[in-house]
Amino acid sequence: IRCQHYPPVRALQASAALRRASDEHKKEPLTSSSQQHFDSPPAGHQPEQEPQGPRPSYTGQGGQESEDYESEEQLQHRILTAALEFVPEHGWTAEAIAEGAKTLGLSVAAAGMFHSDGSELILHFVSECNTKLSDLLEKEQRLVQLGEAEKKPIDEFLRHAVEARLRMLIPYIEKWPQALSVLLLPRNIPSSLNLLTSMIDDIWHYAGDQSTDFNWYTRRAVLTGIYNTTELVMMQDSSPDFEDTWRFLENRVADAMTMSNTASQVQSTGEAVVQGLMGAAVTVSS
Amino acid sequence: CRCRALLSRPARRLRARRGLAAGPEMHFGFQTVTEEERREKIYQVFESVAKKYDVMNDSMTLGIHRVWKDILMHKMNPSPGTLLLDVAGGTGDIAFRFINYVRSVRERQLQRKLKHHQNLSWQEIFESYQKDKFNSLGDSQAVVCDINREMLKVGKQKAQHLGYSEGLSWVLGNAEELPFDNDKFDVYTIAFGIRNVTRIDLALQEAYRVLKPGGRFLCLEFSHVSNPLLSRLYDLYSFQVIPVLGEVIAGDWKSYQYLVESIRRFPPQEELKTMIEDAGFFKVDYENLNFGIVAIHSGFKL
């Protein structure tokens, strides 16, 4: 009976804090609204807790306040990240999520928070890969700015970025076709398209202002085409370290560059022709 | 209104007899009784209907209750190794479905493992069986808990009759005060039972207590129909047909009158959702089945 009173009160605090946070905006207000209850920030707590295996209960008695104030979203992120480890064995499924939840000390029933087709797991993975790519490109850009590295020509840069991003799929390559088909489900298309376009935009952002021949839409479309086709080739590639895929990628990027040159050539030829005609017209009229 | 006519007769008889002042006033169907009285009356209801419970379910809902329970099981999507507590589980419908589901998932799992092992020799495959402790349920367990001895008896008989031997336990217990320790179960279900609990908030708190962190609460219950046309048809069916069926099939008009009235008195979807959140559950959500005739509420202990 002692225990019965304790959890509901604390749970109310947690759920009230969460509801307040979700009403306003996500992460910052969460930490500020729980400032009064915090002893130590969660960032400091968690690295110590996780290696110990089964986590202490979220309604734990005594000293576990920090876990209650992790938002639902953060917990879901952690479960999904933990689940990635089980994807090669179980595929992008609720089973992998259940195993992931188990490693965090939660019940397997926690996988019920997600769709049984693994959509959220895949989207989470894609989003994580995109973030990793951004960080990588950012780091390299900083090196260039500091003068410690050479600025790559545009075609080499694109090749490097796409290759780096596709290499992140290698540990999951066997189950990736399944993931692609799930990403194409009507329900998931808005999110997956969003992630794809923001990744492409990111790459172009870090590519810098070298490519002024294309306009913005063309650039997006071209690189998206290169990325998607290379991804599909990678699915069927059995060469050592995917050499065939990278060669395919090189050819596609070269094509794109040629196309841009051709386009600018066509444009300048067109201008020259027009000027010629104008000159002829002036001559004829005078 | 039709309802008031039905309500007037039994209520007057009851209040005249009882002069007790025990406990706060509660509803028993459309009657008003004390807490103690309510528990007693509900116990008597189920004691008398126990033997005909399943038959009545089939005839009242035209067999659709089976579909509802199947949908609940699909929503749960249990993996092998899950520990289920089915409260007010009486005749075992949910527990049996759980066992079936887990068994088929386990079979698929083993088949997949076999496919992976196709390049191994017979010897190695045999040895891997020994290692895996080849069990058809994958260590899943279902505990059926009910307050009513008669209902549990019927459930146990059914289990024997249908050939369920492993993975089931039958425990006598009160949803408001479960005889289990904290943080024990992966999933807690209560199908068509929470309506009969006198203190729903206590039952929800107990559910929270016995669930493991990450555990799931699932409640399948009759709820409120918002569509006005359907609501009228539903009322008509409930008040005119069901008690008659009760009298004809089970010889018990009053119990089925109580059933129908208790459905009307039960809090609607949003209110129950709030109550579940108040008990401490997160990600609380509900899914209406058949336009709200039945609703599945789900929450997680995080």
Side-chain angles (χ1 to χ4, degrees):
Chain A
I1 299 182
R2 246 178 296 130
C3 308
Q4 267 187 353
H5 293 303
Y6 198 50
V9 173
R10 307 191 69 235
L12 271 172
Q13 291 176 336
S15 73
L18 274 180
R19 255 178 264 139
R20 245 179 291 140
S22 61
D23 284 342
E24 297 156 358
H25 227 304
K26 301 291 171 166
K27 276 152 196 172
E28 284 130 41
L30 182 65
T31 48
S32 64
S33 66
S34 52
Q35 217 60 212
Q36 14 171 344
H37 304 281
F38 257 123
D39 291 328
S40 52
H45 243 286
Q46 278 162 10
E48 301 163 21
Q49 301 275 334
E50 283 175 48
Q52 285 173 12
R55 288 179 65 80
S57 149
Y58 276 74
T59 57
Q61 293 104 21
Q64 316 294 354
E65 278 104 342
S66 48
E67 283 109 67
D68 285 340
Y69 295 90
E70 178 184 48
S71 75
E72 288 169 27
E73 230 182 79
Q74 288 173 317
L75 176 65
Q76 286 185 290
H77 272 262
R78 280 201 305 127
I79 295 178
L80 292 177
T81 309
L84 287 176
E85 176 189 338
F86 299 96
V87 166
E89 187 189 339
H90 294 275
W92 303 93
T93 57
E95 275 172 20
I97 302 178
E99 293 289 323
K102 246 206 283 193
T103 59
L104 294 179
L106 295 173
S107 155
V108 289
M113 284 196 277
F114 308 98
H115 258 292
S116 51
D117 60 10
S119 301
E120 284 108 328
L121 183 58
I122 302 171
L123 289 169
H124 171 84
F125 173 68
V126 169
S127 156
E128 294 275 307
C129 286
N130 292 355
T131 313
K132 263 195 278 188
L133 180 69
S134 289
D135 291 343
L136 175 71
L137 294 179
E138 166 102 36
K139 240 190 298 182
E140 291 180 356
Q141 190 186 55
R142 214 170 302 147
L143 289 178
V144 168
Q145 283 170 350
L146 294 175
E148 292 176 19
E150 288 273 313
K151 191 173 172 70
K152 294 196 182 83
I154 185 67
D155 57 343
E156 207 186 302
F157 181 89
L158 292 180
R159 257 179 37 216
H160 164 74
V162 173
E163 183 179 332
R165 176 62 178 79
L166 286 175
R167 276 192 183 274
M168 297 181 197
L169 299 178
I170 293 180
Y172 308 97
I173 195 84
E174 267 181 47
K175 308 282 182 177
W176 192 245
Q178 176 199 359
L180 282 179
S181 63
V182 170
L183 285 176
L184 287 173
L185 288 174
R187 185 172 21 102
N188 294 326
I189 285 185
S191 329
S192 65
L193 209 55
N194 200 353
L195 285 169
L196 177 65
T197 49
S198 53
M199 181 213 8
I200 299 290
D201 285 345
D202 243 358
I203 297 181
W204 274 119
H205 166 77
Y206 287 105
D209 299 320
Q210 304 173 24
S211 50
T212 48
D213 299 348
F214 291 140
N215 68 23
W216 186 69
Y217 286 105
T218 327
R219 265 190 271 164
R220 238 195 194 189
V222 164
L223 189 55
T224 310
I226 297 177
Y227 180 84
N228 282 339
T229 48
T230 315
E231 191 178 26
L232 289 174
V233 165
M234 195 178 174
M235 296 298 105
Q236 301 171 3
D237 189 4
S238 49
S239 60
D241 195 36
F242 300 95
E243 303 172 337
D244 292 346
T245 309
W246 312 135
R247 209 170 320 127
F248 177 88
L249 174 62
E250 196 178 331
N251 292 338
R252 292 291 75 68
V253 172
D255 283 349
M257 296 296 114
T258 322
M259 192 170 68
S260 98
N261 287 340
T262 317
S264 59
Q265 275 174 13
V266 164
Q267 199 181 26
S268 45
T269 313
E271 280 170 11
V273 165
V274 165
Q275 276 182 4
L277 285 175
M278 289 295 290
V282 166
T283 318
V284 163
S285 63
S286 58
Chain B
C1 149
R2 218 178 294 119
C3 311
R4 294 235 185 78
L6 290 164
L7 143 69
S8 53
R9 248 179 298 128
R12 255 185 269 132
R13 241 187 290 143
L14 212 56
R15 273 197 222 114
R17 230 187 290 161
R18 307 265 188 174
L20 303 167
E25 297 274 281
M26 304 219 80
H27 59 85
F28 176 75
F30 288 150
Q31 303 167 25
T32 307
V33 296
T34 64
E35 224 176 84
E36 245 335 286
E37 284 174 2
R38 190 174 191 270
R39 287 201 187 96
E40 237 179 84
K41 293 169 77 65
I42 291 179
Y43 193 94
Q44 283 163 15
V45 164
F46 282 93
E47 205 174 35
S48 73
V49 307
K51 294 211 174 63
K52 296 283 186 166
Y53 186 71
D54 291 322
V55 173
M56 272 307 294
N57 279 349
D58 274 332
S59 49
M60 283 195 294
T61 62
L62 308 171
I64 302 178
H65 74 108
R66 295 162 191 257
V67 176
W68 291 332
K69 290 169 181 160
D70 287 337
I71 294 178
L72 176 68
M73 202 43 56
H74 268 94
K75 198 173 167 97
M76 192 196 302
N77 193 16
S79 47
T82 301
L83 192 50
L84 168 75
L85 174 63
D86 183 25
V87 174
T91 52
D93 276 343
I94 302 293
F96 299 150
R97 281 174 171 77
F98 172 78
I99 301 282
N100 291 343
Y101 197 100
V102 155
R103 196 173 278 151
S104 65
V105 172
R106 179 80 179 144
E107 268 170 26
R108 251 185 295 141
Q109 247 183 14
L110 292 171
Q111 261 179 12
R112 237 183 304 147
K113 267 207 193 142
L114 250 153
K115 258 202 218 157
H116 267 264
H117 292 169
Q118 261 169 359
N119 53 347
L120 295 182
S121 70
W122 326 126
Q123 198 61 25
E124 287 165 316
I125 295 179
F126 182 66
E127 275 163 18
S128 77
Y129 281 170
Q130 317 283 49
K131 256 193 292 150
D132 273 338
K133 284 181 278 128
F134 177 72
N135 49 4
S136 61
L137 285 184
D139 292 327
S140 325
Q141 270 266 336
V143 178
V144 181
C145 178
D146 202 288
I147 196 175
N148 197 300
R149 220 175 285 269
E150 285 305 311
M151 294 287 278
L152 277 181
K153 227 197 293 182
V154 172
K156 266 193 266 195
Q157 284 171 357
K158 232 169 79 174
Q160 240 180 2
H161 184 69
L162 295 171
Y164 289 97
S165 49
E166 49 169 354
L168 282 175
S169 308
W170 307 84
V171 177
L172 196 67
N174 183 348
E176 297 168 7
E177 203 175 333
L178 291 170
F180 305 111
D181 207 356
N182 304 2
D183 304 332
K184 279 283 172 290
F185 295 97
D186 291 304
V187 185
Y188 173 111
T189 53
I190 183 163
F192 301 118
I194 203 165
R195 204 178 67 248
N196 303 309
V197 169
T198 305
R199 290 283 306 276
I200 297 180
D201 53 336
L202 289 182
L204 293 174
Q205 282 174 24
E206 280 294 275
Y208 191 85
R209 181 178 69 78
V210 301
L211 275 175
K212 283 189 208 163
R216 189 172 196 184
F217 168 86
L218 282 167
C219 167
L220 175 68
E221 191 53 82
F222 289 108
S223 205
H224 283 240
V225 180
S226 42
N227 180 321
L229 172 64
L230 206 63
S231 172
R232 285 192 56 204
L233 289 172
Y234 181 45
D235 280 348
L236 200 74
Y237 181 76
S238 299
F239 286 102
Q240 303 302 321
V241 178
I242 290 182
V244 175
L245 279 178
E247 183 58 42
V248 165
I249 298 182
D252 192 344
W253 171 291
K254 282 203 299 239
S255 298
Y256 289 92
Q257 185 68 31
Y258 158 72
L259 169 88
V260 173
E261 291 174 0
S262 68
I263 295 175
R264 293 300 175 291
R265 286 300 224 113
F266 190 67
Q269 288 87 328
E270 280 295 329
E271 207 181 304
L272 183 60
K273 176 177 171 195
T274 314
M275 291 172 79
I276 298 174
E277 283 171 346
D278 285 342
F281 290 99
F282 289 108
K283 289 197 78 68
V284 181
D285 201 15
Y286 62 84
E287 182 186 337
N288 276 342
L289 302 178
N290 287 120
F291 297 105
I293 295 183
V294 162
I296 299 181
H297 281 75
S298 159
F300 290 88
K301 172 174 175 171
L302 295 178

